[in-house]
Amino acid sequence: MEKTYSTNLTDSQWSTILAFLNDTRKSKHSLIEIFDAIFYMLKTGCQWRMLPKYLPRWKLVYYYFNKWKWDGPIEEIHEHLRDLTRKRAGKERSPSLGLIDPQSVKTIRSGGLCRGIDGGKKTKGRKRHIVVDTIGLLFAVVVHSAHINDSKEAPFVLSELKYRFSRLVKIIADRGYRGDLLDNTKMTFGWILEIILRKDDSTKFQVLPQRWIVERTFAWFESYRRLSKDFEFHPQTSQAVIYLAMTKIILNRIKK
């Protein structure tokens, strides 16, 4: 008996990503069924082994996920859809302005590679370090140990943008990025790093100009239970899951 889920791709959504999959293997299950299973896992947060019996076998789904993670299609599909969304919004492919921020998340008890304690957030786990554009779309993500200071890891995150976006001139950040990073960013990448601070020393919540955009992107992650914690053993797997979440967010905006 076939069962459909709200996470299943529509025909038009599937047609936008099919061109990026170069796989001629004969299989009992089509590639769209594999994607449906991956997005089901992402939305519900279930273990691979707990995928419903109506979906392809978990070993087959995980095989393709792992293959696409290392071969590049996951990022390529996301990048294509992101550029398409920017074009529809009347924007150039390359942004002129980016926003950078990390999010500290807990890892599970069994842990994994590259994890530590964020002393400021009192969180044992990892940081999702992202750069987004002015409409919140993802341009880079690096997952690393939570104990690493934001300004220390920022050059590695920013290097993901180098040579990719010709119009980029400014990156907006918060006070955690102050120090030598300002001059180093200009010298290394040719970009201006602008720090936006609170208007006063109040501990009350404040909506900072443009900074709320990257915070909203983190809020989008909350719609996917797989991202409620960092369940992955490898940081690269965490990055792939984040790209998939953003891919599904963009796909959901595409007319059915």
Side-chain angles (χ1 to χ4, degrees), residues 30-207:
S30 65
L31 293 182
I32 188 172
E33 291 179 292
I34 303 298
F35 263 96
D36 286 342
I38 292 174
F39 286 134
Y40 178 92
M41 176 278 300
L42 186 63
K43 184 69 174 180
T44 64
C46 73
Q47 296 173 316
W48 290 103
R49 291 173 173 82
M50 300 298 289
L51 285 172
K53 62 182 180 180
Y54 305 106
L55 296 172
R57 290 184 303 111
W58 76 267
K59 288 185 178 180
L60 179 65
V61 177
Y62 184 75
Y63 163 80
Y64 275 104
F65 168 78
N66 212 39
K67 179 177 184 295
W68 293 334
K69 176 184 71 176
W70 293 114
D71 291 353
I74 288 178
E75 291 188 34
E76 290 174 5
I77 292 169
H78 167 265
E79 186 167 338
H80 168 74
L81 292 172
R82 181 200 64 217
D83 293 347
L84 178 63
T85 302
R86 283 183 58 84
K87 183 178 179 180
R88 290 182 176 182
K91 296 181 176 294
E92 299 280 349
R93 175 190 174 275
S94 171
S96 59
L97 177 69
L99 301 99
I100 186 171
D101 203 31
Q103 179 191 48
S104 295
V105 291
K106 294 180 179 178
T107 48
I108 57 176
R109 183 175 58 183
S110 57
L113 301 178
C114 303
R115 64 174 184 158
I117 298 177
D118 180 349
K121 301 291 180 61
K122 303 296 189 293
T123 300
K124 183 177 182 180
R126 294 177 179 147
K127 286 183 180 179
R128 298 163 176 163
H129 220 137
I130 68 173
V131 179
V132 302
D133 66 1
T134 53
I135 55 179
L137 300 180
L138 188 66
F139 276 85
V141 56
V142 174
V143 176
H144 57 87
S145 174
H147 81 278
I148 302 177
N149 184 272
D150 298 349
S151 61
K152 297 293 185 184
E153 189 66 23
F156 298 100
V157 183
L158 294 176
S159 67
E160 294 290 311
L161 306 175
K162 194 172 184 180
Y163 305 123
R164 292 174 58 199
F165 305 108
S166 59
R167 297 179 65 249
L168 186 61
V169 295
K170 181 186 291 187
I171 303 291
I172 292 180
D174 64 14
R175 62 187 300 166
Y177 296 87
R178 291 182 297 180
D180 295 339
L181 182 62
L182 276 73
D183 293 333
N184 292 341
T185 300
K186 183 65 176 177
M187 184 170 55
T188 304
F189 304 106
W191 306 325
I192 299 170
L193 184 66
E194 180 178 329
I195 308 298
I196 294 183
L197 303 175
R198 294 175 181 271
K199 294 181 180 179
D200 51 48
D201 294 330
S202 172
T203 58
K204 293 182 180 180
F205 174 77
Q206 297 180 19
V207 179

